[in-house]
Structures are given as structure tokens and as C-alpha cells.
Amino acid sequence: MLYFILLIILSALMTSFMIMKGVYIKTSTMAIVMALGIITEGALSNYFGSKFFTLGYGKVISIIIFSLWISFFISILTSLFHHKFIEKHYNDPLNRFGMGTWIAGTSISGILLAKHFTDLLFVAKILSLFNGGLWTIYIFICIKTLLIAQRAQLLKKAHGILLLTTVSTQSIVLLLNTVWIDLPQILNVCLVTTGILLYCISLFFIAKRYVSRSSTGRVATHWNNTNCILHGALSITGLACITSQAIDPEMILFIWALACLMFFLVEGIEIYRMYERIKLYGIREGILTYDVSQWSRLFTFAMFYTFTSYVEPSSKLQAIVQHTTLLTGIWVILSLCLAELLMLFFSSIAHPKTNQIQRSEQSL
């Protein structure tokens, strides 16, 4: 009952604030829920064990996350009722893919409810059905957009936001296998396969864009924050395979190896990009400026950590990589999360009338 009261109070406060300020969240803002959700359920619970939730810490954080989900969805519905939905979420073809955060955010919220608030399992089941319908509409929109990619100039702007098609699909697998018993395996296989296919298609568009922009001098301005989803989408695919048992363990290890390689490749580029941005803009403007897309990095780091924690290594090298990741990864994730929250806080103080939750997603 105490947690339910806390949920009502937080949801009411957050929703009232956005309504009074006239805030319509940008499409990918639900990435905050995705990131905080997987950090809580995947990283923190794996590192600190069951006591993290039994002592109440995890449940309080889960209530905060679910309150954010509620307030964000009310904002989306408000934009629909006020005839702002098309303008905010649909007009930009590339931005449509950001709606994948709505599905993934709903999935992690449902998983938290089902696992740690068993009295509300029926709510999680309702969320899973709602999310399945939302995913169907989303995938239809994305496929339609990809079919007109040339006309919509997606080839010139494609980046990691396309991979939210895979993330949303595999999040559905995780949610369904959490709230429903004896899910038909054919459904698991079809969903996982669909996610992998969407990954390959998205990777093609992203690779084609950056091959045409081969100059390394452009990394600072043309490499997008969301490209970290290149390894995050692989990690959630592997986790979905483990949860659903849709493929053999050998294939799961192969996906983990790909995720490791992609992680080091992408984050290597990110380090170089950070160096270039500091040279161009200085430390404050180069790396300490808040943007909602930065939550995608937190999500992918936490997802890679979670996937790694479930892998069963078959060699000494794999065991070393796993041990190192689990030992150091949690502190990297928590440090990045704290930095992100501080940047959001100071950004909100500096720009009270244009809260950064509303920022343009051109940099996504």
C-alpha cells in the first residue's frame, strides 16, 4: 500500500508539472525509463543480489521509474488530444523510430511490476497486451518509412535510432516471457528472428551512411549518440534468446562475442569523438552538455552488463572478459548515471523555460 501511495503521489506531481508548464516530451524521452529500468533490474539487482529489492531500495527506484512512465505517456496522450502528435512524433521520418523507446520503456516497466510487485501481476499482463499492439503499429510505421527511405533521405541521416526496431522487438520477448507462463516457442522464435532481421536492415542503412562519410574529421559532428545501440541491440537480442530459450547456447555465445566486438569498436569511436569534441568545443560544450539521446548510452552499457552476467563462458578468455566486465562495469554505469542526472539537473536550472526534456532531437 505504501508503494502504491508513493506511485500516485509521484505520478501526480510529475504529470501536473508537465501540464502546467505545457511540456510535450520529445519522442525518444522514454529512453530515460529504458535506461533506469535496465540499470535497476539488470545491473544493480545482479550486482547486489536479491537484498537490493527485499530491503526496499529496488522497489522505491522501480516506483520512480513507473511514475516516469506514467507521466511520459500522459504527455504523449496530451499531445494527441491537443493535435500536436503528428508534429511532435511523426512528421520527421527518422524521428518515428524513436517511438521504439515507448515499447521498450513499457516492457521494462511491466517486467519490474511482474517481478517485484506480484500483487500487480495482472497490471503487467495488461501492459504486455497493450505493448504488443503498440509494437505492431510501430513496426508497421517503421517498415513503411524504410520503404520510402530514398525519398525521405534516410540514407543521409541514418544512425542508431533505427536499431530501436530491434530493441523494441526483443523487449517484447523479455516482457512476454516474464508475465506469461508457457509462451508458445514458435512465437519466441518468430519475434527473436524478426528482431535480428530488423538489426541487419538497420545496420545496412547505418553502414551505408558512414561509408559515404569516410573522413575521420567528421566524427565529432556526424557521429550520433544513438550509435551505441549498435551493441545494445545485440545485447538485448542475446538476453531475449536466453530468456526465451529460442536458440542454442552456442549461438548465444556467438551473439555475445559480436556484442563484445561491437562494444569495443563503437566505444573506441566514442572516445575518439570525445577527444575531437573537446578540441572543437571545449570540455563544457563538448562533453558536459545534456541531451536526451545520452540516455541511450546508459541503456546500452547496462544491457551489455546484464547480458554478460547471464552468459556461460566456454573458454578461459571468455571467463576473463565476463569477470572483468561484471567487476568494473557496475561502477562505470553508476558513474555515467550520476553524471547524466547532474547534467540534467544543472541544465534544467540554466534553462528553466526550455527544459531539456523538450530539446530538439536533431542530435539523436
Side-chain angles (χ1 to χ4, degrees):
M1 179 60 70
L2 183 61
Y3 292 118
F4 181 72
I5 294 173
L6 179 61
L7 174 65
I8 296 298
I9 293 173
L10 289 176
S11 300
L13 288 174
M14 293 177 190
T15 303
S16 298
F17 173 79
M18 286 193 286
I19 291 176
M20 286 190 297
K21 295 294 183 179
V23 173
Y24 298 104
I25 67 164
K26 290 297 179 177
T27 309
S28 294
T29 303
M30 198 70 81
I32 298 174
V33 174
M34 289 168 51
L36 294 178
I38 193 59
I39 288 172
T40 302
E41 176 58 29
L44 293 175
S45 64
N46 274 300
Y47 186 83
F48 293 108
S50 59
K51 65 180 180 180
F52 180 68
F53 280 96
T54 56
L55 292 177
Y57 303 116
K59 289 189 175 183
V60 171
I61 297 174
S62 298
I63 290 297
I64 294 171
I65 292 168
F66 198 57
S67 300
L68 285 169
W69 179 86
I70 291 173
S71 60
F72 288 167
F73 247 107
I74 289 177
S75 177
I76 294 168
L77 291 175
T78 302
S79 72
L80 183 64
F81 294 144
H82 291 171
H83 307 290
K84 298 281 188 179
F85 185 89
I86 300 296
E87 173 192 342
K88 297 289 183 181
H89 306 299
Y90 192 82
N91 276 346
D92 183 346
L94 198 60
N95 189 48
R96 297 171 195 169
F97 291 87
M99 289 187 279
T101 61
W102 305 354
I103 291 100
T106 303
S107 292
I108 191 61
S109 298
I111 290 170
L112 288 170
L113 282 179
K115 284 191 172 184
H116 308 295
F117 301 90
T118 52
D119 291 342
L120 296 177
L121 179 60
F122 73 97
V123 177
K125 288 185 176 181
I126 293 172
L127 277 180
S128 71
L129 297 176
F130 164 75
N131 213 22
L134 188 63
W135 173 81
T136 303
I137 296 171
Y138 169 71
I139 292 300
F140 173 78
I141 291 172
C142 291
I143 291 175
K144 178 182 176 182
T145 304
L146 286 172
L147 289 176
I148 60 168
Q150 193 70 42
R151 184 155 42 113
Q153 295 188 320
L154 281 184
L155 293 179
K156 295 181 180 179
K157 302 182 292 182
H159 54 81
I161 198 172
L162 300 181
L163 292 161
L164 287 171
T165 53
T166 295
V167 171
S168 62
T169 303
Q170 309 300 15
S171 78
I172 290 287
V173 176
L174 295 174
L175 176 60
L176 292 178
N177 281 275
T178 300
V179 303
W180 298 100
I181 301 174
D182 298 327
L183 201 68
Q185 193 64 352
I186 185 65
L187 178 60
N188 284 323
V189 172
C190 287
L191 285 172
V192 168
T193 303
T194 299
I196 293 172
L197 179 61
L198 289 168
Y199 184 90
C200 295
I201 294 171
S202 301
L203 181 62
F204 168 77
F205 280 102
I206 296 168
K208 193 164 186 178
R209 173 204 171 170
Y210 285 106
V211 164
S212 66
R213 295 183 179 272
S214 57
S215 173
T216 55
R218 295 177 176 180
V219 169
T221 54
H222 290 90
W223 183 264
N224 299 84
N225 290 329
T226 52
N227 287 336
C228 59
I229 306 178
L230 283 162
H231 58 79
L234 285 173
S235 294
I236 195 173
T237 296
L239 190 60
C241 291
I242 292 173
T243 303
S244 64
Q245 299 181 333
I247 63 174
D248 297 332
E250 292 79 9
M251 185 58 68
I252 292 173
L253 281 175
F254 176 71
I255 294 174
W256 182 58
L258 286 179
C260 289
L261 289 172
M262 191 65 77
F263 181 89
F264 288 111
L265 174 63
V266 171
E267 297 310 319
I269 295 174
E270 286 283 357
I271 291 172
Y272 175 74
R273 177 196 183 212
M274 180 175 65
Y275 168 74
E276 287 290 319
R277 286 184 63 84
I278 291 174
K279 283 203 307 181
L280 283 173
Y281 309 113
I283 293 179
R284 184 173 179 180
E285 292 297 323
I287 61 174
L288 296 180
T289 302
Y290 174 79
D291 192 281
V292 70
S293 63
Q294 292 159 349
W295 290 97
S296 62
R297 180 175 298 105
L298 273 169
F299 167 78
T300 57
F301 272 57
M303 185 56 70
F304 179 69
Y305 180 94
T306 304
F307 179 32
T308 300
S309 69
Y310 281 95
V311 167
E312 297 181 2
S314 60
S315 69
K316 187 175 181 179
L317 176 60
Q318 290 175 349
I320 292 173
V321 172
Q322 183 188 51
H323 177 73
T324 304
T325 300
L326 299 183
L327 185 64
T328 61
I330 186 67
W331 306 113
V332 173
I333 292 167
L334 290 178
S335 298
L336 288 173
C337 187
L338 178 60
E340 194 67 23
L341 291 172
L342 287 173
M343 284 193 291
L344 173 58
F345 175 74
F346 288 115
S347 178
S348 299
I349 293 176
H351 306 282
K353 293 184 179 180
T354 55
N355 190 283
Q356 294 301 305
I357 289 179
Q358 306 182 74
R359 286 188 63 172
S360 171
E361 295 180 20
Q362 292 176 352
S363 60
L364 278 178

